[in-house]
Amino acid sequence: MITIALPKGRLGDKVYELLNRAGYGFEAMEDVGRKLVIEDEEKQIRYLLVKPVDVAVYVEKGAADLGVVGKDILEESGADIFELLDLGFGKCHMCVAAPDGFIENPSRRLRVATKFENIARDYYSRRGRDAEFIHLNGSIELAPVLGLTDVIMDIVETGTTLKENHLTVIDRFMYISARLVANRSSYRFKEEKIREIVSQLKEIIAE
Ligand code: PRP
């Protein structure tokens, strides 16, 4: 049996749709209710429905053989797992944004609000920029509006949230989309089955 960790929520709905089209739809997929584990006896697949931020953990630790996770969460987690396929949805970019008209003072430490502290630390250390990070879990755009930080690092999809809060993108640096990932040893020991799933998904994505 193959275990696949799927994200609940916004990304999850798109994943279910893709799996359905690839013939991996589990019964009553639209009506999973509060169930966290769903088994497809016929296809020998078990689905775990987990928080998007936890998918990489389940896969890295081997509780799931495969998973679907956003590239942003994958990078932030630093999980040692295989990235098998770009699923082509959930597309957005990681960006640095600041209040309209912001002029950076390079002699001052830059204050950055973000959910993605590891990505942010790496970004500024590569640039040799002295920065401090304020970790927030949502509504990041509020931080510079209130003067809590100078800039934010966050995902931008349509740009509407930035615009409505009078923020402008300063740098757009990471392409993000949903990725199919695999546990390293599962990939070795269940290679045939995993390859079959990957090729079926590829066919649907290419349509
Ligand atoms: C994400 C992100 C931005 C917004 C970007 O937040 O953190 O706030 O979407 O999308 P846009 O460019 O299309 O406006 P999400 O909706 O996931 O909620 P959150 O603030 O609780 O993280």
Side-chain angles (χ1 to χ4, degrees):
M1 188 163 243
I2 292 265
T3 302
I4 309 181
L6 299 179
K8 293 195 285 187
R10 217 181 342 174
L11 196 59
D13 297 339
K14 291 181 181 164
V15 179
Y16 304 161
E17 195 194 311
L18 176 74
L19 287 170
N20 254 330
R21 286 171 53 211
Y24 286 95
F26 41 85
E27 220 173 291
M29 199 182 256
E30 303 81 25
D31 186 30
V32 290
R34 304 291 296 174
K35 269 193 204 158
L36 301 175
V37 183
I38 292 164
E39 286 191 7
D40 183 337
E41 288 288 340
E42 196 193 310
K43 286 247 192 285
Q44 283 291 292
I45 296 182
R46 179 197 294 130
Y47 298 97
L48 308 180
L49 305 180
V50 304
K51 280 221 166 215
V53 290
D54 294 334
V55 169
V57 179
Y58 281 89
V59 175
E60 185 180 34
K61 303 291 179 203
D65 302 303
L66 295 175
V68 174
V69 61
K71 179 71 173 171
D72 50 343
I73 291 169
L74 189 57
E75 286 291 317
E76 179 66 16
S77 74
D80 186 18
I81 53 186
F82 286 135
E83 193 183 312
L84 302 179
L85 191 60
D86 180 345
L87 298 176
F89 56 79
K91 289 182 185 173
C92 55
H93 284 86
M94 188 65 72
C95 295
V96 178
D100 299 342
F102 171 75
I103 297 168
E104 189 173 330
N105 179 349
S107 62
R108 273 192 48 200
R109 171 179 279 193
L110 190 71
R111 298 168 307 157
V112 184
T114 188
K115 268 190 270 199
F116 304 97
E117 220 175 311
N118 295 328
I119 295 175
R121 277 185 198 285
D122 181 62
Y123 176 94
Y124 286 104
S125 82
R126 279 173 195 275
R127 287 160 179 76
R129 180 70 169 103
D130 185 24
E132 70 176 90
F133 305 95
I134 293 186
H135 189 100
L136 297 174
N137 294 302
S139 306
I140 318 292
E141 293 82 359
L142 209 48
V145 173
L146 298 178
L148 188 62
T149 63
D150 304 302
V151 301
I152 63 167
M153 183 175 287
D154 199 11
I155 52 169
V156 177
E157 189 181 352
T158 61
T160 310
T161 315
L162 290 184
K163 203 167 159 206
E164 291 189 355
N165 291 286
H166 312 289
L167 302 171
T168 309
V169 171
I170 292 178
D171 190 19
R172 199 171 91 134
F173 65 95
M174 186 192 288
Y175 162 69
I176 293 162
S177 61
R179 309 291 161 97
L180 182 72
V181 293
N183 172 272
R184 285 183 169 271
S185 64
S186 300
Y187 191 75
R188 212 173 320 131
F189 295 112
K190 301 182 182 178
E191 192 182 347
E192 198 183 327
K193 180 77 179 160
I194 290 175
R195 276 179 186 275
E196 184 191 318
I197 294 172
V198 170
S199 76
Q200 271 160 337
L201 290 176
K202 265 189 185 162
E203 255 176 51
I204 295 296
I205 293 165
E207 273 176 9

